Amino acid sequence: VRRGRSADSESLSARRVRVYETQRKTILDSNIKVDFFGADSKHTSVLTASWAHINDASKDMTAFDSVKIRSDNGVLVETDSLVWFNQTRKVRSDAFVRITEKNGRITTGMGFESDQDLINYHILRPVIVAPSSAFQNSNASPTFNYSPAPPIGTMNSPSTTIPKDSGK
């Protein structure tokens, strides 16, 4: 099933569509693809997913499983679920997201908001991955080096080292 471009500024295709008129929803499954277009009718991004449902009243779409949005400017967003809001032309996810930029930079986090063109986006709760070498001896108690600011009127105050707790 294909739905062509219209004033909605998107083109949607899916292998199978089920319409539930009394519930005012449409289920799209298998090979979902949505092409987004800007106000100038130029292609801006494409969304793919395993399946989706559309709220027939608002025309908002929620996509699930292996959701990917790739913008024409090279940004790729990957997540498990994502909502596209018809009225605002924005996307949002509360799930874990991975964003790969054209230059190769990867950012991850929980939650994501953006315009459908992936130009103005942000992660709601970034996740920072530290290299495993940062935790070389995870069984040892941490050592803190503390250097207080020198008292007013003094210079070259000695720094204080707080000794490691031996755990005894």
Side-chain angles (χ1 to χ4, degrees), residues 95-164:
F96 181 82
V97 296
R98 174 185 165 109
I99 301 173
T100 306
E101 295 179 3
K102 187 176 184 176
N103 64 8
R105 186 175 92 172
I106 296 172
T107 308
T108 59
M110 294 299 293
F112 166 80
E113 291 180 338
S114 179
D115 51 17
Q116 69 187 21
D117 308 336
L118 304 180
I119 294 172
N120 301 302
Y121 61 84
H122 69 278
I123 292 179
L124 302 178
R125 292 184 313 238
V127 173
I128 299 170
V129 179
S132 61
S133 62
F135 306 102
Q136 289 176 356
N137 188 354
S138 61
N139 293 329
S141 299
T143 301
F144 299 97
N145 290 325
Y146 172 69
S147 299
I152 297 175
T154 64
M155 295 198 54
N156 299 328
S157 176
S159 64
T160 304
T161 301
I162 298 173
K164 176 167 81 169

Side-chain angles (χ1 to χ4, degrees), residues 4 7 16 27 31 33 56 59 72-73 83 102 116 120:
R16 185 169 67 165
I27 305 293
N31 300 330
K33 180 182 175 192
D56 290 338
K59 303 298 183 206
D72 292 353
N73 65 11
V83 179
K102 187 176 184 176
Q116 69 187 21
N120 301 302

Side-chain angles (χ1 to χ4, degrees), residues 33-38 40-46 70 72:
K33 180 182 175 192
V34 181
D35 287 292
F36 294 112
F37 297 85
D40 57 1
S41 296
K42 289 186 179 178
H43 189 271
T44 58
S45 58
V46 61
R70 182 177 299 277
D72 292 353

Side-chain angles (χ1 to χ4, degrees), residues 4 65 71 86 90 127 141:
D65 294 337
S71 72
N86 178 51
K90 296 196 182 273
V127 173
S141 299

